[in-house]
Structure formats: C-alpha cells, structure tokens
Amino acid sequence: MSARGIGTRLRIAATIALLPVLALTACGSGDTSGTTPAGAQASPAPPDDPVPSVHKVDSVAALLPADVRKAGTLRVGSSIGFPPGAYYPNGQDKPPAGQDIDLADAVAKVLGVKLERQDASFETILPALGSGKYDVGTGNFGVTTERLKTIDFVTYINDGQGFAVKKGNTALKTKVTDLTQLCGLTIGTGAGTTFEATLTAQKGVCAKAGKKPYDVKVYSENGATLTALQQGRIDVIMSTINGLRYQAAQPAAQTTFRGEYHRLDVGFAFKKGSPLTKAFRAAVNELIKDGTYARILKKWGTSASAIETSRINPPEHT
C-alpha cells in the first residue's frame, strides 16, 4: 500500500520464496538480496498462466504516444523481491514470477509492446522515473499524498500496510489497530517504504499516551528482516498486507499475521505528466473487463484486493 537498497543481488535464489513480505508495496520493498532466514524453502509459481491468451487491443494501443508505438518497447524498472508480488521461484537466472509480473506482462500484450525489464532496488525506482531512466516502475508502489507530488500512478490493486509477529509471540496478541499497541516494541521494516514513513511520522504517539516509545529498525534486505524476527531481535514486522498473509501461510516462516492497518491503492508508477498513463489505465480496465485480471489475482491468492476499475492518481485512502 504500502512510502520502501539493494545493491547485491540474490545469492541463494532458491530460498527467495519465504523472503517475501518484508518491505512492499505498495508500499513495500523489492529487495532480492541478502540473508536466508531459517526454514526458508523454494516455492514454485502456481501453474495457471492467463497471460499467453491476452492479445493486443488496437483501440487501447492507439492511446500510446506515436514514438512508443513505433519503438514497440517500454523500459520497466522492476523491484523483484517476494511473493505474491514479484520473486524468483527458480533462481535469479530464470524469469521472475508473481502478480506484478503477470499484470505488467498482460498490460504490455494489450498495448502491443514488449517490456525491457530491469531489476532495480525499490527505493531507486521512483527517482529514476524522473530522470528518464525508466518509462514505468513496478514494485507494489502504494499511492500516497506525498508520492503524488512527483509521481503519476495507474492503479491495479488495493493492498496496504499490515503487521506480523513470530508465531507464539506473547508481546502482541491481538490485531494492530492503533500504533500505541506497538509502544515498547521493536519494529522491523524496509528502507524507503510507506511503512518506514508511517512509523517515523507517528513516533510521538507513545509519548502522548504516556508509554515507552517503539523502536524502528530499517533493513535493506528482506531476508535480514525475517531472520531478525525469527531470532528475536525485532518483535514485529510491518509490511504489505498481501505479502504478510502469504508469508504466514508458509509453515516454515513461523509467522502470524496481526491485521491490516492502512489500505493503499497500488499502481504502476510514472514520471509526473507521463503520456503513458491513459494507455495503461485503459489496458488494466480491458483486463478487468475480459476476466484476465480476476484470473491473475486468483492465481496469486490476492482476489480480496481486486479493484473494480483502474484510476489515474486517486487520492490516498484516509
């Protein structure tokens, strides 16, 4: 949902499946490097693949700028980090998989273009859009008021901010509905994310409530965050709702989801004023209309986060 580097790449790619969830979305981080947490194991992509059946829709493709139609390619800065969003199920030398990958590929087919996907750390993608390095960014980028000042978004899912603890945790037994429940605890989250921004902005809530402040530890590697939780160096993870739910469903992760905190629309990211947004919105809506969108979300277990229609730059959820 959701404001989330990653210099080294994944060394132990087969274990990435349970590194997921540490920093999004949308919010989160797309880190693909780092420490392998205890109990992590490979997780193959689901077998259903709706994307090959998607075809170009001329009326939608016509919305692209003429130079893009002529070139036939778009440069995508892609943060590959964790399921169900985007990860490497078979190692970094093999193609990535995930909800974000499928949706981007399906949109490209509707538009009749090919994607030149470049792996990038989550926190570098948005600035790189402004410099012209990428045409579009993906990585579970949440739509926030602050980001809307410099970035245009085309929404494709509704995700957001949530919490998870180590299974058996006794310090936080209920769903988190108020940050004062975190007072006195240590929270792990990802660099450059909406989670870090929220925790920083609200750090005074504990003092106002007469409680000990919470401590925030920021990690640039997803594996390091999960390992810190498993080893007791942090009490709570704040990350994407869908990612944390996915993680909690993996027995080896040994985590428990502690509820949604703040929902955020998630979208493809563009530099401000990009001429690509109308075409992308139309392409997402075409996928919604023909049923491909629902199949992709069902494949990745994220149907509860479906949107009814794609929008350009909707206001942040309050």
Side-chain angles (χ1 to χ4, degrees):
M1 57 40 343
S2 23
R4 216 138 40 186
I6 308 174
T8 56
R9 307 309 300 164
L10 179 64
R11 292 187 179 88
I12 311 177
T15 63
I16 193 63
L18 289 181
L19 304 191
V21 184
L22 303 180
L24 259 162
T25 31
C27 297
S29 159
D31 178 23
T32 62
S33 61
T35 308
T36 302
Q41 56 186 326
S43 177
D48 184 36
D49 189 3
V51 177
S53 62
V54 178
H55 299 287
K56 181 181 178 182
V57 178
D58 290 337
S59 60
V60 177
L63 297 174
L64 287 170
D67 60 334
V68 174
R69 296 199 305 271
K70 182 178 180 180
T73 60
L74 287 171
R75 298 161 300 161
V76 182
S78 187
S79 179
I80 311 294
F82 48 81
Y87 71 117
Y88 289 107
N90 302 305
Q92 197 189 359
D93 59 336
K94 301 293 192 302
Q99 165 198 275
D100 289 1
I101 303 300
D102 282 354
L103 285 171
D105 287 348
V107 164
K109 293 192 75 171
V110 171
L111 296 173
V113 297
K114 294 187 179 298
L115 301 181
E116 294 179 354
R117 185 175 278 117
Q118 301 176 39
D119 287 8
S121 59
F122 179 88
E123 67 273 24
T124 66
I125 292 175
L126 298 187
L129 291 171
S131 70
K133 183 176 181 178
Y134 309 123
D135 299 307
V136 57
T138 63
N140 207 60
F141 289 106
V143 181
T144 68
T145 301
E146 186 63 27
R147 286 176 174 169
L148 284 169
K149 295 176 181 178
T150 57
I151 297 294
D152 282 341
F153 290 95
V154 172
T155 60
Y156 60 82
I157 200 167
N158 182 260
D159 197 345
Q161 303 173 334
F163 295 92
V165 298
K166 183 178 179 180
K167 191 164 287 188
N169 175 284
T170 57
L172 191 62
K173 297 180 180 180
T174 60
K175 292 182 178 179
V176 179
T177 57
D178 190 293
L179 293 185
T180 56
Q181 293 172 253
L182 304 176
C183 296
L185 301 180
T186 301
I187 309 153
T189 196
T193 62
T194 62
F195 319 116
E196 181 187 12
T198 295
L199 293 169
T200 300
Q202 299 296 321
K203 195 142 191 192
V205 297
C206 295
K208 290 180 181 178
K211 298 181 178 182
K212 181 181 178 181
Y214 54 72
D215 184 34
V216 179
K217 291 189 180 298
V218 177
Y219 296 87
S220 61
E221 298 177 353
N222 289 325
T225 313
L226 182 54
T227 297
L229 183 74
Q230 293 172 330
Q231 294 180 350
R233 290 183 279 116
I234 59 175
D235 302 300
V236 190
I237 291 173
M238 186 178 187
S239 188
T240 66
I241 293 168
N242 287 336
L244 291 174
R245 281 180 169 154
Y246 183 97
Q247 185 183 65
Q250 313 305 311
Q254 291 293 300
T255 61
T256 300
F257 183 61
R258 280 289 181 253
E260 300 180 7
Y261 177 68
H262 180 50
R263 278 274 173 178
L264 286 170
D265 286 313
V266 172
F268 296 106
F270 305 84
K271 70 178 181 180
K272 205 69 181 172
S274 171
L276 299 173
T277 55
K278 290 182 179 179
F280 268 71
R281 178 182 60 183
V284 174
N285 285 331
E286 180 68 25
L287 296 171
I288 292 173
K289 183 176 71 174
D290 71 14
T292 301
Y293 176 81
R295 287 181 63 194
I296 290 173
L297 268 57
K298 182 178 180 181
K299 171 183 176 179
W300 294 104
T302 56
S303 297
S305 289
I307 58 174
E308 293 184 359
T309 187
S310 177
R311 295 190 291 167
I312 298 173
N313 296 340
E316 179 179 354
H317 290 296
T318 57

